[in-house]
Amino acid sequence: MNAETTAAASSTAGMAGKYLTFSLAEEEYGLPVLKVREIIKMMDITEVPQVPAHVKGVLNLRGKVIPVIDLRLKFGFPQGDVTARTCIIVVEVALAMGPVMMGIIVDYVSEVLNLAAEEIEQTPEFGDRVCTDYMKGIAKVKGTVKILLDLDRVLGPEDAALRAA
């Protein structure tokens, strides 16, 4: 093994573990189960004026108000139809002011996978003009590819600043 291969192997070793996988626009994504607080069915979301289109509003979850993001819209996909399988994954995101609970709307939850380091690859390079900071890596499972997300970057305010640069 050369130094580059060894460095890549050690960085993917830190990503091994359990991931909740879900679908968005026919693609599969994963996020660490330690970020997931609960999965709830779609419910009434109170709209908030003057927010970006991907911010659907807020919901009252057992007395706690949490913002809800439509991940399809956040990623630039077309708005999806709400089906019986559409759900909200409540996650904890690390922001500058501390941990924050948020809901993300996904097409459907697939399964929980236990990923080994050898099933995970570093995010491929797409060139200077494409920001892939929101991706932790790529999982190769049973002949399919799942994009592993870094929710702190996807949902954090730093994400918007990085993309504007």
Side-chain angles (χ1 to χ4, degrees), residues 20 22 31 36 38-39 87-91 102-104 106 109:
L20 177 72
F22 59 89
L31 54 99
V36 177
E38 63 185 292
I39 301 166
C87 59
I88 300 170
I89 303 172
V90 179
V91 296
M102 295 180 125
I104 56 172
V106 300
V109 169

Side-chain angles (χ1 to χ4, degrees), residues 112-149:
V112 173
L113 291 175
N114 196 6
L115 297 175
E118 55 270 8
E119 294 175 297
I120 302 172
E121 282 190 14
Q122 292 291 322
T123 304
E125 287 295 325
F126 290 95
D128 292 344
R129 296 194 175 268
V130 178
C131 178
T132 58
D133 290 347
Y134 64 93
M135 296 169 61
K136 284 180 96 115
I138 304 289
K140 301 170 294 179
V141 182
K142 300 175 196 155
T144 65
V145 172
K146 298 180 189 309
I147 299 170
L148 304 179
L149 298 177

Side-chain angles (χ1 to χ4, degrees), residues 31-130:
L31 54 99
V33 293
L34 294 176
K35 289 277 188 190
V36 177
R37 294 298 162 250
E38 63 185 292
I39 301 166
I40 57 176
K41 64 181 173 121
M42 281 298 291
M43 56 192 317
D44 287 334
I45 298 170
T46 303
E47 290 185 33
V48 177
Q50 298 188 13
V51 295
H54 65 272
V55 179
K56 298 316 279 179
V58 295
L59 61 83
N60 181 346
L61 186 63
R62 290 183 299 286
K64 185 167 179 118
V65 176
I66 63 169
V68 178
I69 308 295
D70 187 328
L71 218 45
R72 268 180 165 263
L73 299 179
K74 174 77 174 168
F75 287 164
F77 296 140
Q79 175 100 37
D81 294 330
V82 174
T83 68
R85 296 183 71 190
T86 304
C87 59
I88 300 170
I89 303 172
V90 179
V91 296
E92 186 172 288
V93 183
L95 299 181
M97 74 280 272
V100 175
M101 300 288 274
M102 295 180 125
I104 56 172
I105 300 172
V106 300
D107 294 350
Y108 60 87
V109 169
S110 304
E111 61 185 326
V112 173
L113 291 175
N114 196 6
L115 297 175
E118 55 270 8
E119 294 175 297
I120 302 172
E121 282 190 14
Q122 292 291 322
T123 304
E125 287 295 325
F126 290 95
D128 292 344
R129 296 194 175 268
V130 178

